[in-house]
Amino acid sequence: HRIFRRVRDDHSRLYANAPMPYAQYFDGGQALHGTPHDLFNGAGSAGCVNLRVPDAARLWRTVGNGDRVFVWGSRPGTR
């Protein structure tokens, strides 16, 4: 996949205006983005790749439009 859109302070249009800081879209509506919630407790993502906010900010400074991203694996306990 390639990053095609970046929004530093985005919010979900599908999930109750949930915050999506440092969103970097790579496949239609899927994005890498930060979440203020615990990554390992609760329902998790509805299709995006959730990151801790500091990690999402660090990735934001590293990746840009047109850069390739590879996504693999699954969240522990979801298989």
Side-chain angles (χ1 to χ4, degrees):
H1 306 287
R2 290 190 184 272
I3 299 293
F4 69 88
R5 180 173 172 242
R6 294 168 23 111
V7 183
R8 188 171 179 173
D9 186 25
D10 207 2
H11 291 81
S12 174
R13 293 176 186 90
L14 296 175
Y15 300 101
N17 207 34
M20 297 172 49
Y22 303 102
Q24 299 189 77
Y25 292 88
F26 62 88
D27 186 26
Q30 295 178 331
L32 306 158
H33 66 79
T35 181
H37 305 292
D38 186 338
L39 295 177
F40 301 103
N41 185 17
S45 171
C48 290
V49 177
N50 288 347
L51 304 162
R52 292 181 322 122
V53 174
D55 294 335
R58 187 175 308 113
L59 189 63
W60 178 271
R61 294 188 299 269
T62 305
V63 178
N65 280 329
D67 286 348
R68 286 179 179 245
V69 294
F70 298 89
V71 180
W72 71 94
S74 61
R75 189 179 89 156
T78 60
R79 287 187 176 209

XYZ file of all heavy atoms in Angstrom:
625
model
N 0.843 -1.180 0.000
C 0.000 0.000 0.000
C 0.887 1.242 0.000
O 2.055 1.186 0.362
C -0.886 0.028 1.246
C -1.701 -1.209 1.439
N -2.795 -1.510 0.660
C -1.597 -2.222 2.323
C -3.315 -2.643 1.063
N -2.616 -3.108 2.076
N 0.294 2.362 -0.351
C 1.008 3.649 -0.297
C 0.167 4.662 0.478
O -1.059 4.681 0.351
C 1.268 4.193 -1.691
C 2.303 3.398 -2.461
C 2.683 4.127 -3.742
N 3.587 3.336 -4.531
C 4.916 3.347 -4.409
N 5.472 4.132 -3.517
N 5.675 2.598 -5.170
N 0.843 5.493 1.229
C 0.157 6.584 1.926
C -0.339 7.565 0.866
O 0.431 7.998 0.007
C 1.112 7.315 2.890
C 1.651 6.356 3.960
C 0.440 8.537 3.514
C 0.635 5.855 4.934
N -1.635 7.904 0.914
C -2.161 8.840 -0.084
C -2.799 10.077 0.544
O -3.090 11.043 -0.164
C -3.173 8.145 -1.015
C -4.470 7.765 -0.356
C -5.531 8.659 -0.303
C -4.624 6.509 0.209
C -6.728 8.303 0.306
C -5.817 6.141 0.804
C -6.865 7.046 0.859
N -3.014 10.061 1.853
C -3.631 11.221 2.515
C -3.182 11.239 3.959
O -3.130 10.203 4.618
C -5.150 11.099 2.438
C -5.897 12.241 3.082
C -7.403 12.123 2.798
N -8.126 13.110 3.561
C -9.026 12.838 4.494
N -9.317 11.582 4.780
N -9.633 13.790 5.139
N -2.867 12.437 4.455
C -2.437 12.592 5.846
C -3.229 13.730 6.488
O -3.355 14.795 5.913
C -0.943 12.916 5.899
C -0.092 11.781 5.403
C 1.369 12.116 5.148
N 1.931 13.234 5.833
C 2.850 13.167 6.801
N 3.298 11.998 7.209
N 3.332 14.251 7.345
N -3.758 13.481 7.687
C -4.526 14.489 8.419
C -4.059 14.431 9.874
O -4.272 13.428 10.552
C -6.048 14.240 8.339
C -6.808 15.345 9.047
C -6.499 14.106 6.897
N -3.443 15.506 10.323
C -2.835 15.488 11.664
C -3.867 15.371 12.787
O -3.634 14.719 13.798
C -1.988 16.737 11.853
C -1.205 16.682 13.124
C -0.229 17.804 13.203
N 0.483 17.712 14.460
C 1.489 18.447 14.783
N 1.938 19.339 13.931
N 2.060 18.319 15.941
N -5.005 16.018 12.651
C -6.021 16.004 13.709
C -7.367 15.571 13.117
O -8.283 16.364 13.015
C -6.119 17.401 14.343
C -7.047 17.435 15.541
O -7.248 16.384 16.184
O -7.587 18.512 15.831
N -7.455 14.315 12.746
C -8.662 13.813 12.090
C -9.609 13.183 13.110
O -9.224 12.896 14.248
C -8.282 12.769 11.042
C -9.283 12.676 9.908
O -10.257 13.446 9.905
O -9.084 11.831 9.014
N -10.857 13.002 12.682
C -11.884 12.340 13.493
C -12.678 11.409 12.592
O -12.915 11.721 11.429
C -12.820 13.360 14.144
C -12.146 14.167 15.190
N -11.357 15.260 14.894
C -12.109 14.026 16.527
C -10.890 15.763 16.008
N -11.326 15.036 17.020
N -13.108 10.291 13.142
C -13.856 9.301 12.378
C -15.228 9.831 11.988
O -15.949 10.372 12.822
C -14.019 8.021 13.202
O -14.856 7.121 12.516
N -15.566 9.628 10.740
C -16.906 9.983 10.270
C -17.877 8.826 10.495
O -19.079 9.006 10.454
C -16.849 10.350 8.794
C -16.082 11.631 8.552
C -15.953 11.926 7.061
N -15.110 13.076 6.850
C -13.789 13.023 6.681
N -13.166 11.868 6.699
N -13.095 14.124 6.496
N -17.343 7.633 10.741
C -18.182 6.446 10.915
C -18.418 6.079 12.382
O -19.422 5.470 12.711
C -17.532 5.236 10.226
C -17.381 5.321 8.715
C -16.619 4.106 8.205
C -18.743 5.414 8.054
N -17.480 6.407 13.255
C -17.520 5.925 14.636
C -17.544 7.063 15.641
O -16.565 7.346 16.320
C -16.357 4.965 14.894
C -16.420 3.763 13.982
C -15.610 3.684 12.855
C -17.326 2.739 14.223
C -15.695 2.591 11.994
C -17.420 1.647 13.371
C -16.602 1.586 12.264
O -16.697 0.514 11.420
N -18.681 7.736 15.730
C -18.972 8.720 16.783
C -17.913 9.807 16.915
O -17.577 10.215 18.021
C -19.183 8.013 18.119
N -17.370 10.246 15.790
C -16.397 11.338 15.800
C -15.158 11.006 16.639
O -14.537 11.876 17.229
C -17.053 12.633 16.290
C -16.386 13.859 15.752
O -15.904 13.875 14.621
N -16.357 14.910 16.547
N -14.802 9.725 16.693
C -13.650 9.281 17.482
C -12.382 9.966 16.996
O -12.169 10.105 15.787
C -13.501 7.768 17.384
N -11.520 10.400 17.913
C -10.274 11.063 17.505
C -9.338 10.095 16.788
O -9.222 8.928 17.162
C -9.678 11.537 18.824
C -10.296 10.696 19.870
C -11.649 10.295 19.363
N -8.691 10.610 15.749
C -7.727 9.841 14.964
C -6.493 10.715 14.718
O -6.224 11.124 13.587
C -8.343 9.409 13.634
C -9.520 8.481 13.773
S -10.393 8.159 12.204
C -9.098 7.741 11.080
N -5.737 11.025 15.776
C -4.583 11.902 15.589
C -3.513 11.255 14.703
O -3.312 10.045 14.755
C -4.065 12.120 17.008
C -4.568 10.970 17.798
C -5.876 10.578 17.163
N -2.873 12.093 13.900
C -1.784 11.659 13.017
C -2.234 10.572 12.045
O -1.508 9.615 11.793
C -0.570 11.199 13.825
C -0.058 12.262 14.753
C -0.340 12.241 16.113
C 0.700 13.322 14.259
C 0.114 13.227 16.965
C 1.163 14.320 15.100
C 0.871 14.266 16.450
O 1.332 15.256 17.290
N -3.426 10.729 11.465
C -3.962 9.733 10.537
C -3.220 9.780 9.209
O -3.015 10.847 8.624
C -5.450 9.977 10.306
N -2.817 8.595 8.749
C -2.162 8.451 7.450
C -2.886 7.330 6.702
O -2.743 6.160 7.040
C -0.676 8.126 7.632
C 0.049 9.241 8.386
C 1.531 9.045 8.383
O 2.178 9.317 7.370
N 2.083 8.596 9.498
N -3.670 7.730 5.704
C -4.517 6.789 4.966
C -3.703 6.055 3.917
O -2.934 6.658 3.174
C -5.672 7.541 4.317
C -6.636 8.073 5.341
C -6.448 9.324 5.925
C -7.731 7.311 5.747
C -7.328 9.802 6.882
C -8.611 7.787 6.703
C -8.403 9.031 7.268
O -9.265 9.496 8.215
N -3.945 4.725 3.842
C -3.158 3.915 2.916
C -3.995 2.985 2.055
O -3.495 2.427 1.101
C -2.096 3.103 3.660
C -2.652 2.113 4.650
C -2.995 0.833 4.253
C -2.817 2.461 5.972
C -3.505 -0.082 5.165
C -3.311 1.554 6.896
C -3.654 0.277 6.487
N -5.251 2.783 2.325
C -6.050 1.853 1.537
C -7.511 2.229 1.681
O -8.207 1.696 2.548
C -5.805 0.419 2.015
C -6.501 -0.616 1.132
O -6.735 -0.328 -0.057
O -6.829 -1.702 1.639
N -7.983 3.125 0.863
C -9.366 3.580 0.988
C -9.573 4.295 2.312
O -8.972 5.316 2.572
N -10.406 3.726 3.189
C -10.681 4.348 4.478
C -9.808 3.858 5.609
O -9.981 4.266 6.751
N -8.850 2.962 5.340
C -7.962 2.460 6.386
C -6.804 3.424 6.588
O -6.306 4.021 5.641
C -7.430 1.083 6.037
C -8.518 0.038 5.975
C -7.976 -1.315 5.582
O -6.989 -1.421 4.880
N -8.643 -2.354 6.029
N -6.391 3.528 7.858
C -5.311 4.458 8.170
C -4.482 3.948 9.335
O -4.948 3.170 10.163
C -5.882 5.825 8.523
N -3.262 4.417 9.387
C -2.433 4.316 10.584
C -2.772 5.556 11.389
O -2.752 6.662 10.843
C -0.948 4.359 10.205
C -0.463 3.358 9.167
C 0.810 3.849 8.510
C -0.240 2.021 9.821
N -3.112 5.427 12.670
C -3.407 6.623 13.457
C -3.285 6.347 14.945
O -3.316 5.198 15.390
C -4.797 7.185 13.140
C -5.934 6.312 13.535
N -6.395 6.223 14.818
C -6.714 5.484 12.802
C -7.413 5.396 14.869
N -7.626 4.918 13.647
N -3.136 7.402 15.705
C -3.047 7.291 17.150
C -4.410 7.108 17.777
O -5.433 7.438 17.188
N -4.389 6.581 18.992
C -5.607 6.485 19.800
C -5.231 6.747 21.252
O -4.184 6.282 21.708
C -6.302 5.108 19.667
O -7.486 5.114 20.480
C -5.413 3.967 20.083
N -6.059 7.495 21.960
C -5.772 7.737 23.371
C -6.156 6.555 24.258
O -5.866 6.542 25.443
C -6.642 8.963 23.693
C -7.782 8.874 22.742
C -7.207 8.256 21.489
N -6.791 5.537 23.686
C -7.275 4.390 24.451
C -6.208 3.305 24.562
O -5.247 3.277 23.800
C -8.539 3.826 23.805
C -9.616 4.844 23.639
N -10.270 5.404 24.714
C -10.121 5.446 22.543
C -11.145 6.290 24.286
N -11.076 6.337 22.964
N -6.413 2.401 25.476
C -5.530 1.255 25.660
C -5.605 0.368 24.418
O -6.694 -0.035 24.002
C -5.974 0.484 26.900
C -5.040 -0.654 27.265
O -4.289 -1.149 26.401
O -5.067 -1.058 28.443
N -4.460 0.051 23.837
C -4.435 -0.759 22.619
C -4.839 -2.214 22.866
O -5.257 -2.904 21.944
C -3.040 -0.741 21.997
C -2.540 0.595 21.478
C -1.118 0.452 20.963
C -3.443 1.139 20.401
N -4.702 -2.687 24.089
C -4.908 -4.111 24.360
C -6.139 -4.406 25.200
O -6.357 -5.523 25.613
C -3.665 -4.678 25.044
C -2.445 -4.510 24.191
C -1.529 -3.519 24.473
C -2.245 -5.310 23.085
C -0.409 -3.348 23.669
C -1.135 -5.145 22.280
C -0.216 -4.164 22.570
N -6.959 -3.389 25.448
C -8.152 -3.583 26.254
C -9.338 -2.985 25.497
O -9.324 -1.815 25.151
C -8.002 -2.906 27.614
C -9.176 -3.187 28.530
O -9.949 -4.103 28.295
N -9.301 -2.399 29.568
N -10.337 -3.763 25.243
C -11.503 -3.249 24.529
C -11.600 -3.809 23.128
O -10.887 -4.721 22.747
N -12.482 -3.212 22.363
C -12.803 -3.733 21.033
C -11.684 -3.536 20.021
O -11.588 -4.268 19.062
C -14.079 -3.063 20.528
N -10.872 -2.525 20.193
C -9.809 -2.285 19.230
C -10.293 -1.536 18.010
O -11.333 -0.887 18.032
N -9.568 -1.658 16.949
C -9.845 -0.932 15.724
C -10.979 -1.571 14.928
O -11.199 -2.771 14.988
C -8.584 -0.900 14.861
O -8.874 -0.377 13.589
N -11.642 -0.748 14.135
C -12.678 -1.245 13.227
C -12.119 -1.396 11.813
O -12.847 -1.407 10.849
C -13.866 -0.295 13.241
N -10.821 -1.491 11.696
C -10.193 -1.683 10.392
C -8.899 -0.919 10.217
O -8.095 -1.245 9.364
N -8.683 0.097 11.009
C -7.447 0.870 10.935
C -6.351 0.196 11.758
O -6.579 -0.795 12.435
C -7.667 2.284 11.467
S -8.701 3.298 10.389
N -5.171 0.783 11.700
C -4.057 0.334 12.521
C -3.895 1.357 13.632
O -3.475 2.486 13.391
C -2.756 0.222 11.691
C -1.598 -0.186 12.588
C -2.941 -0.758 10.540
N -4.280 0.975 14.848
C -4.175 1.872 15.996
C -2.770 1.844 16.571
O -2.171 0.776 16.700
C -5.158 1.466 17.095
C -6.590 1.775 16.748
O -6.874 2.503 15.806
N -7.515 1.221 17.507
N -2.285 3.021 16.936
C -0.976 3.180 17.558
C -1.121 4.052 18.791
O -2.058 4.854 18.879
C -0.011 3.883 16.589
C 0.188 3.236 15.223
C 0.782 4.245 14.254
C 1.089 2.040 15.355
N -0.196 3.920 19.735
C -0.168 4.889 20.831
C 0.118 6.251 20.199
O 0.822 6.343 19.184
C 0.919 4.534 21.841
C 0.637 3.253 22.604
C 1.715 2.902 23.638
N 3.057 3.203 23.178
C 3.906 4.034 23.812
N 3.587 4.606 24.934
N 5.095 4.259 23.314
N -0.427 7.313 20.762
C -0.297 8.650 20.161
C 1.173 9.043 19.969
O 1.534 9.534 18.891
C -1.093 9.703 20.960
C -0.826 11.106 20.423
C -2.592 9.385 20.908
N 2.073 8.840 20.955
C 3.479 9.199 20.697
C 4.095 8.416 19.542
O 4.903 8.949 18.774
C 4.187 8.869 22.017
C 3.116 8.881 23.053
C 1.873 8.405 22.343
N 3.705 7.147 19.388
C 4.213 6.347 18.270
C 3.653 6.841 16.939
O 4.371 6.893 15.933
C 3.877 4.872 18.464
C 4.603 4.258 19.652
O 5.683 4.766 20.032
O 4.078 3.281 20.216
N 2.369 7.216 16.924
C 1.760 7.759 15.705
C 2.435 9.070 15.313
O 2.669 9.331 14.128
C 0.266 7.960 15.904
N 2.776 9.907 16.305
C 3.458 11.177 16.024
C 4.856 10.923 15.455
O 5.281 11.593 14.509
C 3.550 12.021 17.296
N 5.550 9.941 16.003
C 6.893 9.608 15.501
C 6.802 9.091 14.070
O 7.600 9.482 13.203
C 7.531 8.565 16.414
C 8.975 8.273 16.093
C 9.624 7.317 17.087
N 9.448 7.756 18.461
C 8.718 7.119 19.377
N 8.081 6.002 19.071
N 8.615 7.576 20.604
N 5.821 8.237 13.799
C 5.644 7.722 12.441
C 5.281 8.848 11.481
O 5.750 8.886 10.340
C 4.559 6.645 12.439
C 4.392 5.858 11.147
C 5.661 5.076 10.824
C 3.201 4.925 11.250
N 4.467 9.814 11.936
C 4.071 10.979 11.136
C 5.304 11.740 10.647
O 5.355 12.206 9.519
C 3.179 11.882 11.982
C 2.738 13.135 11.319
C 3.388 14.343 11.316
C 1.545 13.339 10.560
N 2.672 15.276 10.613
C 1.537 14.683 10.140
C 0.490 12.511 10.212
C 0.507 15.213 9.381
C -0.527 13.046 9.452
C -0.514 14.377 9.048
N 6.296 11.854 11.513
C 7.520 12.584 11.149
C 8.414 11.780 10.208
O 9.315 12.335 9.590
C 8.299 12.963 12.409
C 7.584 13.968 13.290
C 8.458 14.480 14.420
N 8.895 13.430 15.335
C 8.243 13.051 16.433
N 7.094 13.624 16.755
N 8.735 12.115 17.211
N 8.149 10.476 10.083
C 9.007 9.596 9.298
C 8.426 9.260 7.930
O 9.151 9.145 6.955
C 9.238 8.278 10.082
O 9.752 8.605 11.369
C 10.201 7.368 9.372
N 7.109 9.093 7.851
C 6.431 8.625 6.639
C 5.690 9.787 5.989
O 5.214 10.681 6.680
C 5.435 7.493 7.001
C 4.681 7.012 5.789
C 6.169 6.345 7.671
N 5.594 9.770 4.670
C 4.878 10.829 3.964
C 4.056 10.293 2.816
O 4.065 9.096 2.517
N 3.347 11.177 2.135
C 2.541 10.795 0.972
C 3.399 10.066 -0.046
O 4.514 10.482 -0.343
C 1.911 12.029 0.325
C 0.686 12.497 1.055
O -0.047 11.705 1.643
N 0.439 13.794 1.029
N 2.852 8.979 -0.566
C 3.550 8.189 -1.569
C 4.441 7.107 -0.995
O 4.857 6.205 -1.720
N 4.749 7.166 0.304
C 5.590 6.131 0.909
C 4.809 4.827 1.027
O 3.601 4.820 1.244
C 6.067 6.550 2.299
C 7.152 7.607 2.246
O 7.700 7.865 1.150
O 7.450 8.182 3.315
N 5.516 3.728 0.867
C 4.904 2.410 0.977
C 4.782 2.003 2.439
O 5.654 2.306 3.245
C 5.757 1.366 0.270
C 5.679 1.451 -1.211
C 6.583 0.386 -1.830
N 6.494 0.466 -3.261
C 5.997 -0.494 -4.025
N 5.597 -1.621 -3.490
N 5.939 -0.350 -5.315
N 3.691 1.299 2.739
C 3.509 0.705 4.051
C 3.115 -0.757 3.869
O 2.416 -1.102 2.914
C 2.448 1.435 4.910
C 2.897 2.836 5.251
C 1.105 1.477 4.228
N 3.602 -1.588 4.744
C 3.271 -3.005 4.747
C 2.608 -3.300 6.079
O 3.147 -2.974 7.129
C 4.542 -3.851 4.595
C 5.247 -3.610 3.291
C 6.191 -2.615 3.171
C 4.939 -4.383 2.179
C 6.837 -2.384 1.976
C 5.577 -4.149 0.972
C 6.526 -3.148 0.872
N 1.437 -3.902 6.045
C 0.684 -4.220 7.259
C 0.529 -5.733 7.326
O 0.073 -6.352 6.370
C -0.706 -3.538 7.246
C -1.477 -3.868 8.508
C -0.562 -2.031 7.068
N 0.914 -6.314 8.457
C 0.771 -7.748 8.635
C 0.529 -8.044 10.111
O 0.714 -7.193 10.959
C 1.984 -8.508 8.112
C 3.220 -8.332 8.939
C 3.659 -9.138 9.957
C 4.176 -7.271 8.841
N 4.815 -8.645 10.490
C 5.162 -7.494 9.818
C 4.292 -6.154 8.031
C 6.245 -6.649 9.999
C 5.374 -5.315 8.223
C 6.333 -5.572 9.183
N 0.097 -9.259 10.377
C -0.140 -9.672 11.747
C -1.535 -9.324 12.226
O -2.387 -8.875 11.454
N -1.758 -9.551 13.504
C -3.043 -9.246 14.107
C -2.828 -8.884 15.563
O -1.804 -9.205 16.149
C -3.993 -10.430 13.990
O -3.464 -11.547 14.668
N -3.798 -8.235 16.116
C -3.737 -7.855 17.517
C -3.819 -9.128 18.367
O -4.643 -10.012 18.085
C -4.898 -6.925 17.852
C -4.788 -6.307 19.219
C -5.943 -5.412 19.449
N -7.006 -6.238 20.029
C -7.982 -5.795 20.766
N -8.105 -4.529 20.994
N -8.873 -6.595 21.267
N -2.993 -9.252 19.405
C -3.067 -10.432 20.260
C -4.486 -10.666 20.774
O -5.181 -9.740 21.151
C -2.112 -10.097 21.406
C -1.148 -9.104 20.814
C -1.970 -8.304 19.832
N -4.885 -11.927 20.749
C -6.202 -12.292 21.269
C -7.348 -12.147 20.294
O -8.503 -12.334 20.659
N -7.069 -11.807 19.022
C -8.148 -11.593 18.059
C -8.285 -12.733 17.066
O -9.143 -12.679 16.199
C -7.961 -10.266 17.293
O -6.719 -10.310 16.578
C -7.991 -9.090 18.238
N -7.456 -13.720 17.127
C -7.533 -14.838 16.174
C -8.484 -15.891 16.615
O -8.706 -16.176 17.705
C -6.167 -15.437 15.966
C -5.309 -14.533 15.141
C -4.030 -15.236 14.807
N -3.309 -14.338 13.934
C -2.470 -14.728 13.030
N -2.239 -15.997 12.883
N -1.854 -13.889 12.269
